[in-house]
Amino acid sequence: MAAAHTPRESAHAAALGVRQALGGSFAAISKWERELGKLRVLVNTGELAEGEEEFPDDESYPVHEFPEIVGFLHEQWAGGGEPSAWVEAVEGSHAPEPQVPEEGPAGAGGGNRQRMAALRRRGRGCCVVAPIVLHGRAWGELYVARRTGEPVFGRADADFASVLAAVTAAGIAQTERLAEARRLAFTDALTGLANRRAVDMRLDEALELHRRDEVVVSLVVCDLNGLKRVNDSRGHAVGDRLLERFGSVLSLCGAMLPGTLVARLGGDEFCLLAVGPPADEVVKVAGELCDRAGELDLGEGVAVGVASTGDPIGPVRSARRLFRLADAAQYKAKAARSGEPVIAGRHGGKDDPVVRLADAPDRRTGPERRRFRR
């Protein structure tokens, strides 16, 4: 679990380890989705029955069929007691030891009809269920089963399952912390969009695809007009609201191009990074963005520049080159107060004044110059 990069990978590692440790033929990790009132299965491992998938898209069960997860677990274990696992077995199976803790939940260990019906239907004779408690709250459950005819889980197995559930909870907590740290590292705090670091990484990967497979890579750079005026006249809180609203418009437009990264580069500068769609589709969306931004009641529209490897802009061997082209186009749109995007390479190919502008020596200083440094 320590090597996992996502919650799904973490749950998969836990299920594999727990099944082996308890000698089960099958194991699953489920999460309690409180807002939906469901136990959602994250992963199934081992011998899968008909209809079961290793990573199911939508395998879930109403929690009212498993009252222990809501009632006993939430009210007693989360209230300070220690969570304990229990055993369920189909009729006719005999455990060598008592199956249920004395303080076990009502209906567990011999009374949950849904679990026993599921065991029979899938050719399993018994299971051990252990609650996963995270941050003092019921998070979900660990479930391990054995085939019909194999030894039924006993008291020692249930105790061991409780320990394994605690280890699983610690692993899940670590994975969630790492996932949140990664999210914050690549997310703009104000708008919730990707940040410049995320764009740099994605653009490097995209240009590698372009070099190898000639995939079209397009960059749309946007400079939000009028932000300084709004900050000076109405305050930074209103300016932040303008940034957030434009970020929402940009996200909406980005959704028109599958797989597009929507980002705030910093200050009043934003971008769309599209990998795959033809240049004409990207230009069409850039035009839609100009129209929608012009309808915002704050600000003064947006200056948009587009650079795409699908247009005659010459070889693009680095992220710096594509950024310079898109930024030069955006600079020209801003200088002309254009209500439409300016597209590099569409006014004379390599002789396009935008392309020549991007090729010119960079004499800018300060933040303008630093923006192009890698």
Side-chain angles (χ1 to χ4, degrees):
M1 295 182 74
H5 294 290
T6 66
R8 189 173 82 163
E9 290 178 4
S10 183
H12 185 244
L16 289 173
V18 167
R19 182 173 65 85
Q20 182 178 14
L22 285 168
S25 61
F26 171 86
I29 302 290
S30 301
K31 183 177 182 179
W32 179 16
E33 295 184 333
R34 284 176 166 78
E35 70 278 12
L36 300 177
K38 294 181 178 180
L39 274 175
R40 181 168 64 87
V41 179
L42 302 180
V43 60
N44 294 311
T45 65
E47 298 176 3
L48 305 184
E50 183 178 355
E52 289 179 330
E53 299 177 2
E54 186 172 24
F55 296 108
D57 291 329
D58 188 27
E59 183 183 351
S60 59
Y61 304 92
V63 290
H64 68 76
E65 294 183 359
F66 309 102
E68 71 277 356
I69 192 71
V70 180
F72 186 90
L73 177 56
H74 182 70
E75 295 173 8
Q76 297 187 39
W77 287 334
E82 290 297 323
S84 298
W86 63 91
V87 173
E88 301 275 1
V90 298
E91 294 176 5
S93 300
H94 299 285
E97 301 178 53
Q99 293 174 255
V100 190
E102 291 180 2
E103 70 279 10
N112 192 307
R113 296 177 181 177
Q114 287 81 9
R115 287 195 197 277
M116 288 192 288
L119 285 171
R120 291 192 196 93
R121 187 169 62 250
R122 292 163 178 166
R124 295 162 188 155
C126 66
C127 67
V128 59
V129 184
I132 298 174
V133 177
L134 202 60
H135 310 307
R137 302 179 69 188
W139 182 92
E141 67 175 34
L142 177 158
Y143 176 99
V144 182
R146 286 177 177 166
R147 305 179 197 91
T148 300
E150 291 187 339
V152 174
F153 290 112
R155 174 72 266 143
D157 296 311
D159 290 341
F160 189 28
S162 297
V163 174
L164 294 174
V167 174
T168 297
I172 290 169
Q174 174 182 302
T175 304
E176 289 184 346
R177 285 193 297 269
L178 291 175
E180 178 64 9
R182 282 191 289 269
R183 187 190 69 80
L184 292 174
F186 295 102
T187 303
D188 175 63
L190 177 64
T191 62
L193 303 178
N195 62 15
R196 178 59 188 261
R197 184 183 292 109
V199 173
D200 287 343
M201 289 186 62
R202 179 72 174 275
L203 186 52
D204 285 339
E205 295 169 355
L207 289 178
E208 180 61 32
L209 287 174
H210 170 67
R211 286 187 288 268
R212 189 182 69 217
D213 303 324
E214 298 185 351
V215 173
V216 176
V217 179
S218 305
L219 190 64
V220 180
V221 173
C222 318
D223 195 277
L224 187 59
N225 297 327
L227 178 63
K228 185 177 186 304
R229 179 190 59 78
V230 171
N231 282 335
D232 291 345
S233 63
R234 304 182 65 176
H236 285 273
V238 178
D240 286 349
R241 189 160 72 247
L242 172 59
L243 290 168
E244 290 177 294
R245 292 184 64 184
F246 178 71
S248 297
V249 170
L250 188 67
S251 180
L252 185 153
C253 292
M256 300 175 185
L257 298 167
T260 293
L261 183 69
V262 184
R264 180 187 179 202
L265 299 175
D268 57 2
E269 194 167 53
F270 295 76
C271 82
L272 294 175
L273 173 57
V275 183
D280 285 344
E281 290 187 16
V282 176
V283 171
K284 182 179 179 181
V285 169
E288 178 77 12
L289 175 62
C290 289
D291 293 342
R292 290 178 179 270
E295 296 172 357
L296 293 175
D297 56 1
L298 295 171
E300 301 166 6
V302 65
V304 176
V306 182
S308 174
T309 62
D311 284 327
I313 57 176
V316 177
R317 299 187 178 91
S318 69
R320 174 187 172 93
R321 167 69 176 165
L322 199 63
F323 255 114
R324 284 178 65 89
L325 285 164
D327 197 75
Q330 179 271 122
Y331 179 82
K332 185 174 179 65
K334 196 172 188 71
R337 297 182 180 276
S338 174
E340 298 179 351
V342 172
I343 299 93
R346 294 211 172 184
H347 300 93
K350 294 182 180 179
D351 294 327
D352 187 314
V354 171
V355 177
R356 293 205 305 274
L357 177 63
D359 287 336
D362 192 354
R363 296 186 176 89
R364 287 173 292 185
T365 59
E368 284 288 307
R369 181 174 180 82
R370 285 197 297 274
R371 185 168 55 196
F372 295 123
R373 292 180 179 171
R374 295 282 291 154

